[in-house]
Amino acid sequence: MSTIPLTSRETVRRRLLDVLRWEGPMARVEIGQHLGMSPATISDLTASFLDEGVLVAEESSDPVPGLIRGRPKVRLFFADTLGSVIGVWTGFNRIELRLVDSAGHNRASRHIERPLRNLGADELMDVLAETITAFARDTGASDVKAIGLACQGYVDTRDGIVAWSPVLGARDLPLASGLSQRLGMPVLIENDASAMAFAIAQRDPALRSGRTACLMVGDGVGMGFLINGELYRGARFGGSEFGHVRLRRGGPQCRCGGRGCIEAFLADYALHRDAQLIDHRPAPTVLMPGEDAMDAIVAQARAGDTALLNLFREAGEVLGDAVGILIQTLEPDHIVICGPGTRAIDLLRPSFEAALESQTIPELRALATIHVVESSMDLLTEGVVMQALRELDLDLARVKAA
């Protein structure tokens, strides 16, 4: 992907593509309203994209605000023949893949159980490249233009390096360049919580206004932070490692090597570990539980198991403390609690709300709207797919030579 700066016209073209990428098919008048541009300017820009085959026009029976009655209602959308992208998520010995065409339509997906934790850097990248190549071949995707990969841990998105991940053995892993060399195409990488935040914001326009903190609870605990719909980047172009903020010195063991981190109370592995140590339950046999194992623990708690109810009560208190920290340090407009861990939100909610009420300055608490988005891991690949498509749009925005 080119690093040459866009011209002023190309910047406007990029803005138009961004609107369609975020909002979906729209009429010209709607595009003009979003961008604050005149009908003549929008007509000129869209005519160029239609001539280039980037956009496709189609009459719609849906009413479009602002159109003159009796005129055909024409919406513009991305052509689906501009090349596809593959989104990948690497979890604990798991790989999720998704194939999406240039119009954003899902074409295929795949779940693979594959040991990854003990692989060296080169072997890991070989396995990922082979898995992606096989997925593209099996789905008949001969036009893949880019790969987006979401990974747990601290991810330097600028240099394409996974500095540390609890699910991968190698440190300072040059994942983007290594996979790009093996696959022969651009590869962008992202922290998985940031990827989920990006996908959630794509689905809800309200979350693309102001500051939004998405607290993802599941295999681990992570946070994606958005400012007006764009991901916040730190000094190394990474995101937040909020799950590894220490709440209680000497608390339970965390995967990062510390004790008492937020994640060590809330993540699936922490709840599963503690549940298996209660009463007569067998000792832990696996580090990372599957969805079936977590569903069983939740079901037992809902059935009235006192020990498990206390376990979720404490987890809810930690969640309340964590959200209180977010409110009082970042002052976000929106806080989203998301990820597979929301499966037990009914068990967490009473102690969560009590802890949040007692630990947060009321005036600050009133400023933030809290949303619970019951979400699956599909949002992880959706987030990096969206980012990969936007990177391809950067090239589509460039004015083609006559």
Side-chain angles (χ1 to χ4, degrees), residues 343-394:
R343 68 173 81 79
I345 194 64
D346 58 314
L347 301 174
L348 302 172
R349 192 183 294 277
S351 55
F352 161 71
E353 292 180 346
L356 184 61
E357 186 72 22
S358 66
Q359 298 296 328
T360 309
I361 298 171
E363 289 76 9
L364 291 180
R365 167 67 184 87
L367 297 176
T369 303
I370 297 176
H371 314 253
V372 176
V373 176
E374 296 185 14
S375 45
S376 68
M377 304 313 278
D378 291 343
L379 284 167
L380 298 172
T381 50
E382 183 177 318
V384 288
V385 157
M386 177 66 171
Q387 289 176 297
L389 287 172
R390 290 181 80 203
E391 285 297 317
L392 294 181
D393 293 346
L394 185 64

Side-chain angles (χ1 to χ4, degrees), residues 52-193:
E52 296 164 17
V54 173
L55 300 181
V56 179
E58 184 178 86
E59 289 192 14
S60 170
S61 59
D62 297 331
V64 178
L67 283 179
I68 300 173
R69 185 176 300 175
R71 294 184 61 183
K73 300 172 179 63
V74 178
R75 293 190 188 276
L76 303 176
F77 54 94
F78 280 91
D80 61 8
T81 56
L82 306 172
S84 55
V85 301
I86 292 177
V88 185
W89 173 71
T90 57
F92 184 78
N93 294 339
R94 290 184 290 167
I95 305 173
E96 302 283 345
L97 303 107
R98 177 197 297 242
L99 174 69
V100 173
D101 65 26
S102 52
H105 302 133
N106 292 328
R107 295 303 185 190
S109 60
R110 178 173 294 176
H111 169 84
I112 295 173
E113 298 285 341
R114 180 71 184 264
L116 300 174
R117 181 67 176 82
N118 296 323
L119 299 181
D122 287 336
E123 188 178 5
L124 172 67
M125 290 188 284
D126 287 342
V127 166
L128 290 176
E130 291 164 5
T131 301
I132 294 168
T133 299
F135 176 62
R137 181 186 64 244
D138 295 345
T139 55
S142 59
D143 62 344
V144 179
K145 301 293 187 183
I147 306 296
L149 191 148
C151 182
Q152 293 183 46
Y154 192 83
V155 178
D156 180 340
T157 59
R158 177 184 57 189
D159 295 331
I161 294 172
V162 179
W164 168 80
S165 172
V167 300
L168 303 177
R171 289 178 178 258
D172 292 320
L173 179 66
L175 197 53
S177 62
L179 282 180
S180 181
Q181 292 170 5
R182 288 164 170 80
L183 297 170
M185 66 183 69
V187 175
L188 63 87
I189 63 173
E190 184 62 81
N191 168 267
D192 61 350

